[in-house]
Amino acid sequence: MAMSPQAVAFGIEAVIRLGQAGKSAYEARILDQTIALPNIDVAQLDAPQRAVQIVSDAIMNGDLPGSWAEDHDLVAAGDTSPAGLAAQGRIIAAATRLNADFAVKSELQAVAVLKQWHEDANRISPLGRIGLEVANLALDYVSANPALFGVRGNGQILVTSIATSLADLLPDPDDPNAPGTDFASGSIRIFTEAGLRALHQNVDKLIDEAHLQDLASSTLKPLIDAVAAGNSPGQPWYDLRDEFLGPVAEAAIDVLARHQVAFLGNKFDVDSKVGALSQSVLLAIKDEGLADYLGKEGVIKTYRAVLDTVVTRPELFFGDPRSDADRLKQHVLLNSITHLRANSPPFNPALGSALIATAFETVGANAPLLVRLADIDANDWTVPLSKISENLVEQVSLGLAEGLASGQRPDILSRVFNDEQAQHFLAIILEQVTRTPGMIADNTSPEVRLLVQCLARAIAEQKSILLSADDWQRIARSIAREVAENPGRLIKTNLPPDQEQLLFLLLSGALDAAAGDGGRGAGSVLFGSTLVQTIETLVQTAAGNAARALANEQAVKDLIIGLALFTRNNPDLVGRLEWLELFRHHIAGVMDSGELPEFNAAHLLGPVLEQ
């Protein structure tokens, strides 16, 4: 009879109280007990030596994990002690599973060793074995986090909840050879470890036990069903279970902890959004090579963002969890990664996963603005939203790659921004454009691509670095807003390829003038915040007079150069505040007429002082 969930939960707490000594004593009793063997000629028993070679080769070839040898003694063939013969039996059993020819040959040679390690001698039900695994894990974890298991602590709630779900998760609790049993055993252990870690980080949250139980079942059951349908140890599902299931479970529990209200009344059955998304992501890792480009951290970052958005905006998604999860996987993950691969560099796993996650989050946050009323009425938003998210990834990645490649310093992005700053830079642009649905209507976004292209090219055209990453982020926010709110002025989508965009001409002109001003050491004020405000004023003025700004673009640049020279020559009269006031006073007139003022104190300062 399988152990009851209550017995498993009690066993966990009992093992925690007994401590490591009890665990070690149990292991020693099993390993050191006397084993009766038939009288055999050990000198002719060559099976262990061959078995050791097969296992060693399997470890080198990657068919067995490298840690296998650390957990199993590779003893010499001549060791006839009880422990040695028991170890030989384990080696032979492993070699038999790995090599069919050896299995046939060793069936008679090793029968004496194998039969003495009889499976019925100390049989523990599958549920009991899982319970011991969870107990051992809880012991290790709680030794590092003793405060976690207080009365009704979150750790206790999670362990109890997992234990309650064990019987449902195991394919057949009474059959240790049932398909998926090994996978289920390891999955539950990994899920428990991930859950303890996630709850420890959210220890101030109150989490309902039933929801954790449903979450465990929802996240694990589809994966166990998948492996039971045809996978065996050594195949990709097992590798993914060990590598990715923990972070995926931790991300899911973290989202649950932060959005409890959204989950209330939404049971996590096996067809729910959590189970569908978890399986969809792991299938993409297994079958589509999702992790080959994004890496482990990138996959989890993307999964967390998608699940977070789905939970906070449940009305947008999952009329049918399975089909909707597949659509999200195709558009948000696989297609987006194809676009990122085509534009790498500058995109790397960190920047690429951040762009995918941010695009989906911003699309979800602004969803009602971005879809048609017909889609809202039909309650079918998943496809258009996932396509919009994919399209934004494509256009932003293409624009950034094109802009940097056309500049004089295509590698400058990593010199100005670290990974986090570059991610924030792109997030600022996405945040602005998603508030303006016309920029990404009909899933085509040339304006977005051209906006990013102009900014990236301006960064790569700098002759000297006068702006920090924070400065560029501020410029990106201001310019993205102006472009969004002034269609067809600063950026034209139908411009002939031999003509420059007005936005780029303005940016490059201001940066060139500032670079030629000699820097702070020469008395220039055109750097940092002052240069940012100059560019913001320039772009805002041009947005209201685009045709004249284009016609008098050189005069605008000359105004900056002339005012900069006047400032350097009159440091006692003009500082950064006076510079900004002079520029704001003269820029509209110069942009409109192309006529420059006289660069002397009487003509420049007189009108300003009179105001």
Side-chain angles (χ1 to χ4, degrees), residues 486-492 495 499-503 505-506 538-554 556 588 590-594:
N486 294 279
R489 291 168 175 81
L490 297 167
I491 286 178
K492 295 184 182 297
L495 198 67
Q499 294 186 27
E500 301 284 10
Q501 293 286 345
L502 173 60
L503 176 61
L505 291 174
L506 296 172
L538 177 61
V539 172
Q540 289 167 2
T541 306
N545 197 4
R548 300 304 299 167
L550 182 61
N552 296 312
E553 172 259 331
Q554 184 59 48
V556 169
V590 172
M591 188 177 289
D592 187 58
S593 67

Side-chain angles (χ1 to χ4, degrees), residues 227-243:
V227 74
N231 289 97
S232 59
Q235 290 187 327
W237 267 124
Y238 283 77
D239 298 335
L240 290 173
R241 179 199 66 187
D242 297 337
E243 182 71 12

Side-chain angles (χ1 to χ4, degrees), residues 78 135 140 180 232 265 290 318 377 455 486 597 599 605:
D140 294 338
S232 59
L290 177 64
F318 290 96
D377 292 339
L455 287 168
N486 294 279
F599 295 104
L605 297 180

Side-chain angles (χ1 to χ4, degrees), residues 216-395:
S217 178
S218 174
T219 304
L220 297 178
K221 188 61 164 64
L223 308 182
I224 295 172
D225 290 345
V227 74
N231 289 97
S232 59
Q235 290 187 327
W237 267 124
Y238 283 77
D239 298 335
L240 290 173
R241 179 199 66 187
D242 297 337
E243 182 71 12
F244 281 91
L245 180 57
V248 166
E250 186 176 352
I253 291 174
D254 179 67
V255 172
L256 170 64
R258 288 185 288 106
H259 302 291
Q260 297 171 71
V261 175
F263 283 105
L264 295 177
N266 235 345
K267 286 182 69 67
F268 292 110
D269 57 45
V270 296
D271 295 323
S272 75
K273 65 191 76 170
V274 177
L277 275 177
S278 298
Q279 187 181 45
S280 183
V281 169
L282 287 173
L283 277 171
I285 299 170
K286 172 178 175 285
D287 299 331
E288 307 290 347
L290 177 64
D292 292 345
Y293 179 77
L294 293 181
K296 179 179 178 179
E297 291 184 1
V299 170
I300 302 307
K301 182 184 185 75
T302 306
Y303 169 78
R304 189 189 303 270
V306 173
L307 182 59
D308 223 335
T309 303
V310 168
V311 168
T312 54
R313 298 301 303 272
E315 74 278 6
L316 307 181
F317 300 99
F318 290 96
D320 181 342
R322 179 70 272 152
S323 62
D324 285 348
D326 287 342
R327 292 190 190 104
L328 291 177
K329 178 183 75 173
Q330 188 63 47
H331 294 295
V332 176
L333 298 178
L334 302 183
N335 292 357
S336 292
I337 288 176
T338 299
H339 302 314
L340 292 171
R341 287 180 188 274
N343 297 294
S344 180
F347 281 89
N348 55 31
L351 188 57
S353 60
L355 177 58
I356 293 175
T358 304
F360 189 78
E361 287 172 337
T362 52
V363 166
N366 296 278
L369 296 173
L370 302 175
V371 295
R372 301 175 305 167
L373 287 174
D375 296 319
I376 297 176
D377 292 339
N379 198 28
D380 183 16
W381 299 24
T382 307
V383 174
L385 290 177
S386 62
K387 286 183 177 179
I388 290 172
S389 176
E390 175 199 340
N391 185 64
L392 283 176
V393 171
E394 178 184 18
Q395 296 299 319

Side-chain angles (χ1 to χ4, degrees), residues 328-599:
L328 291 177
K329 178 183 75 173
Q330 188 63 47
H331 294 295
V332 176
L333 298 178
L334 302 183
N335 292 357
S336 292
I337 288 176
T338 299
H339 302 314
L340 292 171
R341 287 180 188 274
N343 297 294
S344 180
F347 281 89
N348 55 31
L351 188 57
S353 60
L355 177 58
I356 293 175
T358 304
F360 189 78
E361 287 172 337
T362 52
V363 166
N366 296 278
L369 296 173
L370 302 175
V371 295
R372 301 175 305 167
L373 287 174
D375 296 319
I376 297 176
D377 292 339
N379 198 28
D380 183 16
W381 299 24
T382 307
V383 174
L385 290 177
S386 62
K387 286 183 177 179
I388 290 172
S389 176
E390 175 199 340
N391 185 64
L392 283 176
V393 171
E394 178 184 18
Q395 296 299 319
V396 170
S397 62
L398 182 61
L400 189 65
E402 289 176 343
L404 293 175
S406 61
Q408 296 180 2
R409 295 293 301 273
D411 62 338
I412 200 172
L413 190 71
S414 60
R415 299 177 184 272
V416 177
F417 300 94
N418 60 31
D419 280 345
E420 183 178 354
Q421 291 166 337
Q423 294 165 18
H424 188 47
F425 176 75
L426 297 179
I428 287 171
I429 298 173
L430 287 172
E431 180 184 0
Q432 294 298 322
V433 301
T434 50
R435 294 176 180 176
T436 310
M439 293 187 73
I440 51 179
D442 301 323
N443 293 319
T444 57
S445 309
E447 272 191 288
V448 177
R449 176 175 62 83
L450 293 171
L451 168 61
V452 176
Q453 183 187 97
C454 288
L455 287 168
R457 185 178 174 188
I459 295 173
E461 286 281 5
Q462 295 178 97
K463 293 181 174 61
S464 60
I465 297 180
L466 300 172
L467 296 169
S468 68
D470 290 341
D471 294 331
W472 276 111
Q473 290 168 4
R474 177 175 169 181
I475 288 173
R477 177 176 286 107
S478 177
I479 287 179
R481 182 174 59 249
E482 293 299 325
V483 170
E485 296 176 356
N486 294 279
R489 291 168 175 81
L490 297 167
I491 286 178
K492 295 184 182 297
T493 58
N494 58 350
L495 198 67
D498 60 339
Q499 294 186 27
E500 301 284 10
Q501 293 286 345
L502 173 60
L503 176 61
F504 172 71
L505 291 174
L506 296 172
L507 287 173
S508 62
L511 292 171
D512 284 347
D517 199 28
R520 188 178 185 279
S524 172
V525 297
L526 277 180
F527 60 88
S529 177
T530 305
L531 183 53
V532 170
Q533 292 180 67
T534 300
I535 291 174
E536 289 178 330
T537 299
L538 177 61
V539 172
Q540 289 167 2
T541 306
N545 197 4
R548 300 304 299 167
L550 182 61
N552 296 312
E553 172 259 331
Q554 184 59 48
V556 169
K557 181 176 179 180
D558 291 339
L559 173 66
I560 299 175
I561 294 173
L563 290 178
L565 179 61
F566 176 76
T567 301
R568 292 205 313 272
N569 292 337
N570 297 274
D572 295 333
L573 295 176
V574 182
R576 64 172 299 270
L577 293 178
E578 289 74 22
W579 155 267
L580 291 171
E581 188 62 36
L582 287 171
F583 184 72
R584 290 168 183 150
H585 181 80
H586 290 283
I587 180 60
V590 172
M591 188 177 289
D592 187 58
S593 67
E595 296 181 5
L596 296 170
E598 294 185 32
F599 295 104

Side-chain angles (χ1 to χ4, degrees), residues 3 8 12 124-137 162-163 165-167 169-170 173 180-189 192:
M3 296 171 62
V8 175
I12 294 171
I124 302 175
S125 71
L127 189 58
R129 292 199 306 273
I130 302 299
L132 286 175
E133 285 194 52
V134 176
N136 291 337
L137 172 70
I162 297 292
S165 300
L166 290 181
L169 296 174
L170 286 171
T181 300
D182 293 338
F183 185 87
S185 170
S187 297
I188 294 167
R189 177 187 60 79
T192 304

